[in-house]
Amino acid sequence: MEYIPACGIRSLHNPGVISRQLLAPGNSTSRRVTITEVHLEPGASQPRHTHTASEQIWYALKGEGILLLANDAEQGFSAGDVVRFEDGDVHGLHNTSEEEFVYLSVTAPPIDFSYAYQGR
């Protein structure tokens, strides 16, 4: 068993975005998965990006937003929705609502996301 107390959960920060590393290489020995809780303030965005060697599943917990996809495509994404990105899929998110947008991200195999955040 592996137990991670609340004090062992690191938060990464970009303007308008907080990424809580619930289960990640920094606090877990898992070689299979990273689990992240991501919070976006109203109007905040995560720019389009890819993960070449990991797939990602997002479960929207709160709010409404727009998925930013390849070729400037967009898709609505709101609480209760689930989306899966295969390795190499372009993805990002823009919070279009007046409230915080929160989603849970599962990434396999694990990634240390600290490279993508200004505040570590």
Side-chain angles (χ1 to χ4, degrees):
M1 183 188 103
E2 187 171 54
Y3 171 77
I4 301 164
C7 65
I9 297 172
R10 184 171 79 160
S11 291
L12 305 174
H13 303 268
N14 275 336
V17 180
I18 297 173
S19 180
R20 296 185 68 236
Q21 305 298 290
L22 305 179
L23 185 83
N27 68 1
S28 172
T29 59
S30 176
R31 294 185 315 239
R32 296 187 180 192
V33 67
T34 295
I35 301 175
T36 309
E37 179 186 276
V38 183
H39 298 249
L40 283 85
E41 294 176 1
S45 292
Q46 291 180 305
R48 287 176 171 89
H49 62 282
T50 63
H51 306 291
T52 57
S54 291
E55 73 174 299
Q56 221 170 38
I57 299 162
W58 291 358
Y59 173 51
L61 298 169
K62 177 182 173 187
E64 295 180 359
I66 300 291
L67 294 170
L68 307 174
L69 306 171
N71 303 315
D72 293 322
E74 296 180 344
Q75 167 74 45
F77 190 52
S78 58
D81 293 345
V82 175
V83 63
R84 183 180 74 87
F85 305 105
E86 293 186 17
D87 304 19
D89 280 353
V90 174
H91 60 285
L93 180 67
H94 178 71
N95 180 358
T96 57
S97 70
E98 297 293 321
E99 66 177 338
E100 178 183 55
F101 188 99
V102 181
Y103 70 91
L104 193 65
S105 174
V106 178
T107 306
I111 295 176
D112 178 351
F113 289 107
S114 59
Y115 73 91
Y117 287 84
Q118 297 171 5
R120 297 174 180 86

